[in-house]
Amino acid sequence: MAAVDRFSFLFTEISKTITAYTEAFAIIGTLYTAKKTLNTALQLYDVVKVHLVARGQQNLVTRFGPWAVVTGSTDGIGKAYAQELARAGVNIILISRSQDKLRKTARELETTFHVETLTIKADFSKGSEIYESISSQLQGKDIGILVNNVGVYDYPQYFVDVPLEKLWQLININIGAATAMSRIVLPQMIEKRKGAIVNITANTALHPTPQIAVYAATKTYLDFLSRAIQYECKDKGITVQSLMPSYVATRMTQFTDASPSVLIPSASVYARHAVSTLGISSRTTGYFPHTVQFWVSSMLPEWLWMWGSSRLNSAIRRKTQLTMQLREARLREKLPQL
Ligand SMILES: NC(=O)c1ccc[n+]([C@@H]2O[C@H](COP(=O)([O-])OP(=O)(O)OC[C@H]3O[C@@H](n4cnc5c(N)ncnc54)[C@H](OP(=O)(O)O)[C@@H]3O)[C@@H](O)[C@H]2O)c1
């Protein structure tokens, strides 16, 4: 009897403990579910606000200022973004490396949108030596918007196979330019207590990406830079936006052979959507279908992203290398005939 008594006593004690644990787990579960539900609701609210409600409601010149600087503005997203700003009446300062393309783009903007332009020829791959000249050419311009768009992407390769010189070019163009340009333009924005900086990052900023390790890392740098400067400037009337597109059909993504679609918009469709989010969101893809992709990507565990992107990049690398070998072979065949 005594043994049974002891057993029932033990059972009662264990039951009490289990009930206490169950209740604790139930509370943790409820809090976790509530947090997840609140996060999802806030994200949905943000999507509706950024992609639907806020579109086309603001005067960019009044809100930010009469001039915008766009780096890498003679092609792709940069050119399309400059066109959208010009459509809104903003005068454009174009910075790129080809004088002919600069002149042509500036003329198009002036005749189509009746805005003023200024062109600055600069090669961002050169590093720190170019900024004194850029800074002096920007003197006297009331700059309200800086779009740090310039960026280059080499085809996927293993890190050790990329020549060191190419790595420095990637660093100078993809992160050196945005860092230096922001440092040049921000003080006058702070003085006026208005302005916007847009850093074009990419959804590759979300996870480390094998075979485009440096490109992806430069985009993470830009995302972190944007968020930190946004925090520093939030009480100074300045907006710093991290703009994180997925694929956009430009010269950079020619290797995909994809024509523009809903998931891979043309640069002009992308820019129209992205500009409408300026001043509304400090971190966005700028384009609703990309926001859906972003959500999916951000939920993937890192190992799965690494594995998937590694396989995809291996396929792109092999295809690109084959195309390059074929091109070289054709050139060699032609050479003796010349
Ligand atoms: N396309 C995408 O799917 C995608 C996705 C995510 C993020 N992004 C980012 O979006 C930005 C624009 O990409 P994009 O696809 O529009 O590129 P793009 O079509 O290749 O255009 C790049 C622009 O930058 C200029 N540029 C290139 N190297 C330069 C240098 N060393 N100095 C000065 N200007 C230079 C080019 O001038 P030239 O015409 O003289 O070469 C061109 O105007 C990049 O930062 C990229 O990383 C693109």
Side-chain angles (χ1 to χ4, degrees), residues 45-275:
Y45 168 74
D46 204 45
V47 167
V48 172
K49 185 183 78 172
V50 172
H51 295 294
L52 296 171
V53 179
R55 296 193 61 181
Q57 286 181 354
Q58 53 181 340
N59 182 326
L60 296 179
V61 176
T62 317
R63 175 151 184 204
F64 299 117
W67 284 88
V69 178
V70 186
T71 65
S73 39
T74 49
D75 225 319
I77 297 172
K79 181 175 176 181
Y81 205 106
Q83 287 168 337
E84 281 307 310
L85 292 177
R87 192 190 305 282
V90 183
N91 301 316
I92 309 290
I93 301 168
L94 303 136
I95 313 184
S96 253
R97 62 184 162 181
S98 152
Q99 190 66 63
D100 287 348
K101 287 175 85 174
L102 277 167
R103 243 183 252 128
K104 186 167 167 279
T105 311
R107 214 176 307 124
E108 280 169 18
L109 293 177
E110 284 171 10
T111 50
T112 314
F113 303 108
H114 312 291
V115 291
E116 288 180 52
T117 64
L118 172 75
T119 61
I120 300 177
K121 180 178 175 320
D123 182 347
F124 289 107
S125 70
K126 302 279 182 233
S128 62
E129 69 189 51
I130 61 170
Y131 294 100
E132 212 179 298
S133 161
I134 292 179
S135 182
S136 66
Q137 292 179 76
L138 293 178
Q139 286 298 315
K141 292 279 184 251
D142 185 354
I143 297 162
I145 301 170
L146 165 66
V147 185
N148 285 314
N149 162 77
V150 74
V152 287
Y153 167 95
D154 206 6
Y155 74 96
Q157 271 172 294
Y158 290 108
F159 177 72
V160 287
D161 293 336
V162 187
L164 192 55
E165 195 194 335
K166 251 214 172 113
L167 293 178
W168 277 119
Q169 283 177 5
L170 265 173
I171 290 167
N172 285 335
I173 298 170
N174 289 17
I175 62 182
T179 311
M181 290 304 300
S182 302
R183 181 63 187 81
I184 290 170
V185 169
L186 201 49
Q188 58 145 302
M189 289 182 175
I190 292 174
E191 206 174 296
K192 286 179 296 176
R193 295 192 71 78
K194 65 176 181 180
I197 295 180
V198 180
N199 290 323
I200 306 210
T201 71
N203 80 336
T204 49
L206 276 174
H207 301 285
T209 311
Q211 299 190 49
I212 52 164
V214 177
Y215 175 82
T218 63
K219 294 301 175 185
T220 311
Y221 170 100
L222 282 185
D223 182 41
F224 274 39
L225 180 77
S226 313
R227 289 153 70 184
I229 304 180
Q230 167 66 33
Y231 188 86
E232 288 180 17
C233 292
K234 68 179 189 304
D235 300 326
K236 298 186 171 78
I238 317 285
T239 292
V240 184
Q241 186 187 55
S242 174
L243 189 59
M244 311 176 85
S246 301
Y247 279 125
V248 177
T250 66
R251 196 180 51 180
M252 188 182 274
T253 47
Q254 266 171 353
F255 64 88
T256 61
D257 295 333
S259 43
S261 62
V262 174
L263 284 184
I264 307 181
S266 66
S268 49
V269 167
Y270 176 74
R272 193 167 66 243
H273 286 257
V275 170

Side-chain angles (χ1 to χ4, degrees), residues 218-336:
T218 63
K219 294 301 175 185
T220 311
Y221 170 100
L222 282 185
D223 182 41
F224 274 39
L225 180 77
S226 313
R227 289 153 70 184
I229 304 180
Q230 167 66 33
Y231 188 86
E232 288 180 17
C233 292
K234 68 179 189 304
D235 300 326
K236 298 186 171 78
I238 317 285
T239 292
V240 184
Q241 186 187 55
S242 174
L243 189 59
M244 311 176 85
S246 301
Y247 279 125
V248 177
T250 66
R251 196 180 51 180
M252 188 182 274
T253 47
Q254 266 171 353
F255 64 88
T256 61
D257 295 333
S259 43
S261 62
V262 174
L263 284 184
I264 307 181
S266 66
S268 49
V269 167
Y270 176 74
R272 193 167 66 243
H273 286 257
V275 170
S276 74
T277 69
L278 182 54
I280 310 294
S281 172
S282 58
R283 191 167 184 253
T284 173
T285 66
Y287 177 64
F288 178 66
H290 285 184
T291 299
V292 178
Q293 287 178 53
F294 185 91
W295 269 3
V296 174
S297 307
S298 58
M299 280 188 288
L300 293 179
E302 195 166 295
W303 67 264
L304 185 57
W305 172 279
M306 296 259 235
W307 178 81
S309 57
S310 199
R311 289 182 72 100
L312 177 69
N313 284 336
S314 288
I316 298 171
R317 172 172 49 78
R318 282 194 290 269
K319 190 179 158 203
T320 312
Q321 284 170 339
L322 195 68
T323 314
M324 282 158 59
Q325 281 162 8
L326 282 172
R327 204 177 296 147
E328 274 168 29
R330 269 191 219 118
L331 261 176
R332 270 200 304 275
E333 272 170 26
K334 272 186 192 161
L335 271 180

